[in-house]
Amino acid sequence: MIKKTFPIVGMHCASCKTLIEDVVGELTGVKNVMVNFATEKITVEYDEDKVNIEKLKKAVASAGTYQMVYTPSGTTVLASPPEVEKMSMEHHNMHHDEENSDQHDHGIPLDEKLRNELYNNLKRRVTLMGLGAIPFLIYMFWMAFGMKFGLPELSKILPNVNFLQFLLATPILFIGGKDVFVSAWTAAKIKASNMDTLIALGTGTAWAYSTIVTFFPQTFSTTLEAGGEVYFEASVFIIFFILLGRLLEMRAKGQAAQAIKALLHLQAKEAIVIRKGKEIRIPVEFVMVGDTVVVKPGQKFPVDGTIVEGSTEIDESMVTGESIPVYKQKGDAVIGATINKSGFIKYRATKVGADTLLSQIIRMVEEAQATEAPIQRLADRVSSVFVPAVIIIATLAFAFWFTTSIPFATYIAITVLIIACPCALGLATPTAVLVGTGKAARHGILIKDAEALEIAHKINVIVFDKTGTLTKGKPEVVDYEPRDKTISSLLYSIERRSHHPLAEAVVSYFEDSTSLTPSSRRESRGGVKELEVSSFKDHPGLGIEAKINNKHILVGTEKFLRENEINISGDFDKKINDLRHSGKTVSLVVVDKAVLAVVGIADTVKEDAKETLSKLHDMGIKTMMITGDNKITAQAVAQELGIDEVLAEVMPADKSKKIKELQNIRHSELVSESKRSRNEFGMTFSNKRQIVAMVGDGINDAPALAQADVGIAMGTGTDVAIATGDIVLVKGTLEKVVQTIKLSRQTLAIIKQNLFWAFGYNIIGIPIAAGLLYPGFGLLLSPIIASVAMALSSVSVVGNSLRLKYQ
């Protein structure tokens, strides 16, 4: 089984989604198929031995007026309406040599180009239809207000006014709205229905009835009212407003999908590489792994790599969401699409093309946007039976009002068919997910699927791994007490010979890493100098031994000192005990049998850790820490950060078991404080299964991240754990955990608003259109007003989703 996602061009209703899913899903060898209406993509999981691309193409084509355009590179299956077919054929003829590429016309994806052409084509048609509708607008105003302004009756000036309306309305309806009727007919041939079925029935009925009245006025003579009323203007305005709504919807959906386009535009178009000793400028697609790339101040890094010459500050905000430039020097990794702010850099390309971080981010966001949130399933079930249900309601309404008058019954049936709109239901969730995941990506938060985005709003416990997540993952000197200044130079000189992490922490303590260069290391913090070491010996797990200026020096643990029969001075006892009880690692410095310094080393907490945990508490979320460290060290960190509960001395393999245990605890058992029962968002938690999130490094914590309801992987630079966790934070800042949960809650609020409007619109609109309020209140909807409401219902849902961008 393989799983592929392909773009779709020309989808215009939620019923199209259901129709394509049903037809493709019936193919032998297709295990699963999902169409996302908002992103216009189809994801198919299928067996290549039983079904191939050609069969998929035929299946999509049989679902309606769709044509599949496929490129052998395996990323593009296009389902396009009739006007796109011609365009795609022109593409095939003009770019025959490029048919194996998804990029055409200087990097514009083929599906995007066809989508733009479809939009422009629809814009032209809507403009022409609008001009053609002007006479009908004049006619409507004349009929409604002519008498008030003293105008003569129109029938006296134009005795054949109905015939003139017929001549104007027919081409507008059947040429301008051709796609609607072709789509409805094609669906009918396979015994299916879609949104176009309702529109075609409604406008077609209005036109057919009006045509009969025009040419055979006696047909309904026994029931005619007002001398033979016709609905040509209704059919014209209905098709006009519906296509105008689709145009606005396409534009709004395009705005909602700006995140992917923005990411694509971040990529540098060219690169300067050194080949055969010369600098040459080439398209970024031709950069190869191992190339030496030159980047000057103000230019973008074209691909990922490692600096081999120079130093600079780099703006990584477009990838990580962090606004402060990052200092990089030789040996540091750089990310493609980031901006070189100051220095002249040469670097070796390590990842190119689809392997770069930016490409991974784009791929991940696209995949997330193509998924469905669980909350969408109800809307999908309703959409699948919506069109047949509306046809039945329209038929029943016609039958009910038939005894009153055929024109009136026809009027009611047309209004019911036109006002019904499954599109708002189909767009309610995916447009919000589209905007939400795009917004998250701009802030360096990669959400792998819509389900993770939805579940995140229900999180009530977050378990943090300690090392590298809450802490920096790198030991630092936090306390240093020497007897005199000369000890510092001795200690610094010895530790520089060792590669142990604790030794590196001591060296870093004495060096200012942002300004001290190798040539200036002779003078370090507090005037510390590097001295010549005459002998050096490492004792693994204990410490190091060396000689400087004939002085015998030991640096290490208390056990190391005892083995060397060193008596620890009583003056240091209190200091050592304080450090030990606060979870610090203690290192002692001995010179000629005398203890002359004590060093406290710890994995320090991240600067934003305490503030982040405080914000999570304010949101009603319980915080926990899981670690393999001893209880003393773990409790010291927890106390410093204000963590609610600690799980210490837990082996990596057991972390997932602990997560599972937490998931089985009822929320009321875990959070007893009444102040936690309601958070700043006004959300309350009932006595339900705990929703647990795990935050870890994405590598060592993989099983725990997988077990958690939401796994959040902390990425660092180019080593983002793309394959691990439901949510990946590109740069491991804890504040993004808070941002993720807030964004999830905002997105779910938008989705619920959209669904409320979409369901409410249809639940209220359809009965009113059927004449429910007419007997008691005389309230009746016009088919034209119904078409405006239907068109705006979809646009309003997309517009509401776009609010997420600015929250």
Side-chain angles (χ1 to χ4, degrees):
M1 288 285 178
I2 63 168
K3 189 175 183 180
K4 289 186 178 181
T5 299
F6 310 105
I8 299 178
V9 174
M11 282 185 66
H12 52 264
C13 75
S15 301
C16 297
K17 157 191 162 63
T18 306
L19 194 56
I20 295 173
E21 285 178 342
D22 289 344
V23 174
V24 176
E26 290 176 359
L27 290 176
T28 303
V30 173
K31 181 180 179 183
N32 187 42
V33 57
M34 185 190 71
V35 175
N36 188 301
F37 178 34
T39 59
E40 298 183 70
K41 290 187 177 180
I42 180 172
T43 301
V44 188
E45 187 177 358
Y46 62 98
D47 186 344
E48 284 186 300
D49 294 331
K50 296 181 180 179
V51 63
N52 54 29
I53 295 298
E54 280 302 315
K55 290 183 179 179
L56 290 175
K57 288 168 65 176
K58 291 178 181 178
V60 173
S62 69
T65 53
Y66 304 98
Q67 179 192 4
M68 293 176 61
V69 181
Y70 169 68
T71 53
S73 53
T75 59
T76 307
V77 173
L78 304 177
S80 53
E83 65 264 28
V84 178
E85 180 176 352
K86 181 180 176 182
M87 301 171 194
S88 62
M89 289 304 294
E90 290 173 355
H91 264 284
H92 177 77
N93 294 332
M94 293 172 60
H95 302 281
H96 180 72
D97 294 335
E98 297 180 357
E99 67 177 357
N100 291 335
S101 171
D102 293 322
Q103 300 288 330
H104 293 272
D105 293 350
H106 305 291
I108 300 176
L110 181 56
D111 63 298
E112 184 179 336
K113 177 174 172 54
L114 292 177
R115 204 167 279 128
N116 290 339
E117 291 175 340
L118 179 61
Y119 175 83
N120 291 330
N121 180 285
L122 182 58
K123 187 176 181 180
R124 285 192 297 270
R125 281 194 293 135
V126 168
T127 302
L128 291 173
M129 290 172 70
L131 293 173
I134 291 176
F136 290 96
L137 187 64
I138 296 172
Y139 169 77
M140 290 170 62
F141 274 98
W142 193 306
M143 295 297 290
F145 306 109
M147 296 293 289
K148 293 181 181 179
F149 291 99
L151 298 175
E153 288 186 25
L154 193 61
S155 58
K156 293 180 180 180
I157 300 173
L158 297 172
N160 295 320
V161 65
N162 286 359
F163 180 68
L164 292 174
Q165 288 188 73
F166 169 79
L167 292 178
L168 280 172
T170 302
I172 291 175
L173 182 63
F174 293 108
I175 297 177
K178 175 186 175 184
D179 294 344
V180 172
F181 290 93
V182 172
S183 174
W185 174 247
T186 308
K189 286 194 295 185
I190 58 170
K191 298 179 181 179
S193 58
N194 57 23
M195 187 65 204
D196 289 332
T197 303
L198 298 180
I199 299 168
L201 282 174
T203 56
T205 301
W207 178 87
Y209 172 82
S210 301
T211 300
I212 292 172
V213 169
T214 299
F215 292 100
F216 307 100
Q218 300 305 313
T219 304
F220 304 113
S221 59
T222 58
T223 55
L224 275 179
E225 297 176 350
E229 185 176 356
V230 295
Y231 301 123
F232 286 122
E233 81 284 357
S235 62
V236 167
F237 279 108
I238 287 168
I239 203 74
F240 169 71
F241 282 123
I242 285 170
L243 293 183
L244 177 62
R246 287 184 184 175
L247 184 71
L248 296 174
E249 182 185 310
M250 286 178 68
R251 183 175 179 180
K253 282 165 68 178
Q255 292 175 353
Q258 284 298 316
I260 289 294
K261 293 179 182 177
L263 288 171
L264 286 168
H265 293 154
L266 287 176
Q267 178 72 58
K269 301 296 183 290
E270 295 180 322
I272 300 174
V273 299
I274 299 177
R275 290 181 179 170
K276 296 182 179 180
K278 294 182 179 180
E279 291 185 9
I280 59 171
R281 188 182 297 271
I282 61 174
V284 70
E285 296 85 18
F286 298 128
V287 178
M288 297 184 294
V289 173
D291 273 344
T292 298
V293 185
V294 175
V295 183
K296 299 172 184 177
Q299 293 182 338
K300 289 182 178 181
F301 289 88
V303 295
D304 297 355
T306 304
I307 296 176
V308 295
E309 183 182 316
S311 61
T312 186
E313 288 191 334
I314 300 175
D315 179 3
E316 297 182 340
S317 60
M318 65 289 299
V319 177
T320 66
E322 302 295 326
S323 58
I324 300 174
V326 182
Y327 177 80
K328 296 288 182 77
Q329 58 187 349
K330 183 178 180 179
D332 289 337
V334 295
I335 305 170
T338 57
I339 300 173
N340 179 15
K341 299 291 288 185
S342 54
F344 178 86
I345 293 294
K346 290 183 180 180
Y347 76 103
R348 185 179 69 258
T350 56
K351 293 180 181 178
V352 300
D355 295 328
T356 64
L357 177 63
L358 180 63
S359 295
Q360 292 182 67
I361 291 173
I362 292 171
R363 186 162 59 249
M364 190 172 176
V365 173
E366 285 181 328
E367 289 173 356
Q369 292 179 345
T371 61
E372 280 191 348
I375 197 171
Q376 174 67 15
R377 290 167 191 160
L378 173 62
D380 284 348
R381 286 197 294 271
V382 172
S383 295
S384 65
V385 297
F386 188 88
V387 173
V390 170
I391 293 173
I392 291 172
I393 293 171
T395 304
L396 292 175
F398 178 85
F400 179 82
W401 294 107
F402 182 80
T403 55
T404 303
S405 144
I406 292 179
F408 186 76
T410 304
Y411 184 95
I412 291 285
I414 293 169
T415 307
V416 171
L417 291 169
I418 296 305
I419 199 169
C421 182
C423 301
L425 288 172
L427 288 167
T429 298
T431 52
V433 170
L434 183 70
V435 177
T437 51
K439 180 180 179 180
R442 291 198 305 274
H443 289 85
I445 302 168
L446 306 182
I447 300 171
K448 283 195 172 181
D449 56 49
E451 186 171 1
L453 181 63
E454 178 179 334
I455 294 174
H457 90 284
K458 297 188 288 185
I459 292 170
N460 37 43
V461 168
I462 296 185
V463 181
F464 292 89
D465 178 52
K466 183 183 81 73
T467 305
T469 302
L470 291 173
T471 65
K472 295 178 180 178
K474 183 179 179 181
E476 294 182 3
V477 174
V478 294
D479 205 316
Y480 174 55
E481 187 174 312
R483 278 285 179 263
D484 58 63
K485 291 183 178 181
T486 61
I487 300 300
S488 297
S489 294
L490 295 172
L491 177 60
Y492 173 70
S493 302
I494 293 172
E495 296 286 29
R496 271 192 48 77
R497 293 293 188 95
S498 174
H499 295 290
H500 192 280
L502 297 182
E504 292 175 356
V506 173
V507 172
S508 296
Y509 174 76
F510 288 117
E511 294 179 354
D512 182 0
S513 61
T514 61
S515 61
L516 191 66
T517 61
S519 61
S520 62
R521 279 190 179 129
R522 291 290 177 183
E523 293 293 333
S524 301
R525 181 184 294 208
V528 173
K529 298 180 179 180
E530 183 176 355
L531 305 174
E532 186 176 344
V533 180
S534 57
S535 68
F536 180 89
K537 185 178 181 182
D538 190 2
H539 296 266
L542 296 171
I544 51 181
E545 180 180 2
K547 277 191 176 182
I548 298 177
N549 296 333
N550 292 321
K551 292 180 179 180
H552 184 249
I553 303 165
L554 300 175
V555 181
T557 64
E558 293 175 76
K559 181 180 179 182
F560 184 45
L561 268 59
R562 283 194 297 270
E563 288 183 1
N564 284 274
E565 299 178 350
I566 304 298
N567 182 34
I568 301 174
S569 170
D571 295 341
F572 282 115
D573 281 347
K574 185 177 184 307
K575 187 69 175 178
I576 293 170
N577 287 330
D578 289 345
L579 290 172
R580 190 186 299 117
H581 284 100
S582 62
K584 309 295 188 298
T585 299
V586 179
S587 186
L588 301 167
V589 183
V590 177
V591 180
D592 292 335
K593 298 284 187 178
V595 180
L596 298 182
V598 60
V599 183
I601 301 173
D603 182 5
T604 56
V605 299
K606 292 180 177 178
E607 288 79 1
D608 59 346
K610 190 170 185 178
E611 183 182 359
T612 297
L613 292 166
S614 176
K615 288 179 179 178
L616 291 172
H617 286 150
D618 292 341
M619 294 168 71
I621 297 173
K622 178 162 184 169
T623 59
M624 302 180 71
M625 184 178 75
I626 192 167
T627 179
D629 285 352
N630 62 71
K631 291 182 180 179
I632 293 176
T633 301
Q635 288 292 349
V637 173
Q639 188 173 356
E640 181 181 355
L641 296 176
I643 291 173
D644 297 320
E645 190 174 330
V646 175
L647 302 173
E649 299 177 2
V650 180
M651 299 299 291
D654 296 327
K655 288 182 180 180
S656 60
K657 295 179 183 177
K658 292 292 184 182
I659 296 295
K660 191 171 185 179
E661 290 173 8
L662 288 172
Q663 289 172 323
N664 293 328
I665 297 176
R666 293 299 209 191
H667 181 62
S668 58
E669 297 174 37
L670 202 55
V671 183
S672 58
E673 300 94 327
S674 59
K675 68 177 182 178
R676 299 267 180 90
S677 65
R678 180 175 289 273
N679 57 39
E680 62 176 310
F681 290 85
M683 298 181 65
T684 56
F685 297 110
S686 59
N687 185 18
K688 295 181 180 179
R689 183 185 78 76
Q690 194 62 44
I691 304 300
V692 181
M694 170 71 189
V695 184
D697 61 16
I699 302 170
N700 298 326
D701 303 316
L705 290 169
Q707 176 62 45
D709 296 291
V710 179
I712 302 176
M714 303 284 287
T716 52
T718 55
D719 297 323
V720 179
I722 295 292
T724 310
D726 305 300
I727 298 171
V728 177
L729 309 182
V730 177
K731 191 172 183 181
T733 52
L734 289 167
E735 170 63 24
K736 288 179 182 174
V737 176
V738 176
Q739 291 179 18
T740 300
I741 296 171
K742 284 185 176 180
L743 179 62
S744 172
R745 293 180 177 182
Q746 291 168 351
T747 304
L748 262 293
I750 292 290
I751 289 174
K752 289 175 182 178
Q753 291 166 14
N754 287 348
L755 288 173
F756 177 81
W757 162 251
F759 277 109
Y761 164 82
N762 285 289
I763 290 171
I764 295 172
I766 292 175
I768 293 176
L772 183 67
L773 301 180
Y774 185 69
F777 303 94
L779 183 61
L780 200 64
L781 286 178
S782 158
I784 296 174
I785 299 299
S787 67
V788 173
M790 192 273 276
L792 292 180
S793 65
S794 298
V795 177
S796 63
V797 165
V798 179
N800 191 45
S801 296
L802 284 171
R803 291 195 305 114
L804 261 176
K805 296 173 74 173
Y806 310 105
Q807 289 184 354

